[in-house]
Amino acid sequence: MAFGSLPRDHLSRHEPSIRSPRTAPSYGRDSLKVFQAAPLVHIDTSGRYHPVRLLDFAEERQILMDTLGDLRTKIDVSFDVANSERLGAFLATGEGHVLHFSCHGHPQYLAIENSGMMQQLLVEDLRDWIHAGGQNLQFVFVSACYSRQAGEAFIEAGVPHVVCCQQDDQQIRNAAAVEFARAFYRALACGKMLSEAFELGRQQVLNSLQIDRAERQKEVAKFTLLPETGKDHNVPIFRHHSMCSNPQ
């Protein structure tokens, strides 16, 4: 899954302004939009080029398609490159209310693509962009390490519910990301409330044989559902439930 870290270059920051939450729009067919960014090169503040660790998007795509496909869902899943052009087009059309954003993360930005180069999408710019065009977004999963501030930017822009990763000195282990996402999206597609799906994702990590027992509690603590206070997460994300059955 798309969790990772990048060098913490010095960046200027601005105090965020809090946006008013939006009212929920009416929905047609359920959909999940997946943006993935895999830049090849990062340029530091001195102009030096550095290779960027590639993320396993093929595995992430397979997990999402297999999880939702096995359930015979009525959820349209589409994948796109996370660059400024495609993000702008998505926000302009206003299509979809569920967004999964996979990329390398940093406390002050998300790393999107720009013709193979890494572009730093600062959290304050992300906030303003989503506020301008993301009126239909009701849930965002920021699948990136160090994404707490990016998650808060989505909240400040008016998105009611966000899953992200706590700021931490260590990256999310790939196995934890895989286990959480599989259980989380399966639960949502089966009609579980967001709060229930989040807890099922956490429990999957805590009981996974793919993760060392000594590491499970530390890994599960990195997943965060925002806002942590003052918001009822006991809501469905997908309105048309799938025909769920036990996995084979």
Side-chain angles (χ1 to χ4, degrees):
M1 295 290 284
F3 291 90
S5 64
L6 290 170
R8 301 191 178 193
D9 295 338
H10 176 73
L11 295 171
S12 61
R13 298 180 59 189
H14 307 284
E15 290 299 321
S17 58
I18 305 299
R19 311 292 188 175
S20 299
R22 305 182 180 96
T23 57
S26 59
Y27 301 113
R29 186 178 178 90
D30 283 321
S31 65
L32 170 62
K33 184 69 172 183
V34 182
F35 275 109
Q36 300 172 321
L40 301 175
V41 178
H42 163 61
I43 305 177
D44 64 23
T45 53
S46 299
R48 293 188 296 266
Y49 288 72
H50 304 274
V52 177
R53 180 176 60 86
L54 291 179
L55 301 171
D56 194 349
F57 288 142
E59 180 184 21
E60 179 178 63
R61 182 187 184 105
Q62 195 64 48
I63 288 168
L64 292 174
M65 295 302 294
D66 287 350
T67 298
L68 299 179
D70 287 347
L71 299 174
R72 292 180 287 172
T73 64
K74 297 180 180 179
I75 300 170
D76 293 327
V77 184
S78 61
F79 297 80
D80 210 338
V81 177
N83 59 33
S84 59
E85 178 182 358
R86 300 308 304 154
L87 285 169
F90 172 73
L91 294 174
T93 59
E95 296 178 356
H97 68 285
V98 182
L99 173 63
H100 183 97
F101 204 114
S102 293
C103 62
H104 282 294
H106 183 281
Q108 297 176 32
Y109 61 81
L110 295 179
I112 64 174
E113 291 189 39
N114 181 6
S115 300
M117 309 294 286
M118 192 195 81
Q119 176 181 340
Q120 297 176 355
L121 179 56
L122 300 180
V123 293
E124 55 264 35
D125 294 335
L126 172 67
R127 178 199 64 217
D128 293 343
W129 205 358
I130 297 302
H131 182 262
Q135 288 80 6
N136 286 340
L137 283 175
Q138 293 297 300
F139 171 73
V140 175
F141 190 145
V142 189
S143 182
C145 284
Y146 314 113
S147 57
R148 174 64 183 249
Q149 289 186 0
E152 291 177 346
F154 278 106
I155 294 295
E156 291 164 5
V159 178
H161 314 280
V162 175
V163 168
C164 61
C165 177
Q166 291 279 12
Q167 313 287 356
D168 197 282
D169 290 335
Q170 298 181 354
Q171 300 173 9
I172 284 281
R173 292 177 183 269
N174 188 65
V178 168
E179 293 293 315
F180 181 89
R182 181 185 288 117
F184 176 74
Y185 279 113
R186 179 189 296 121
L188 287 182
C190 288
K192 294 291 187 183
M193 300 294 103
L194 174 58
S195 56
E196 296 172 320
F198 183 76
E199 183 57 29
L200 284 170
R202 295 179 73 257
Q203 290 298 321
Q204 189 70 36
V205 174
L206 288 172
N207 292 282
S208 174
L209 296 179
Q210 305 302 317
I211 306 169
D212 291 341
R213 180 178 293 274
E215 299 294 325
R216 294 175 191 172
Q217 191 63 50
K218 182 172 65 175
E219 290 300 306
V220 80
K222 296 177 183 178
F223 296 98
T224 303
L225 177 58
L226 298 177
E228 294 183 291
T229 60
K231 186 70 177 183
D232 182 10
H233 295 299
N234 191 36
V235 296
I237 296 301
F238 296 121
R239 298 318 201 245
H240 305 96
H241 303 161
S242 64
M243 301 175 64
C244 294
S245 60
N246 292 328
Q248 300 299 316

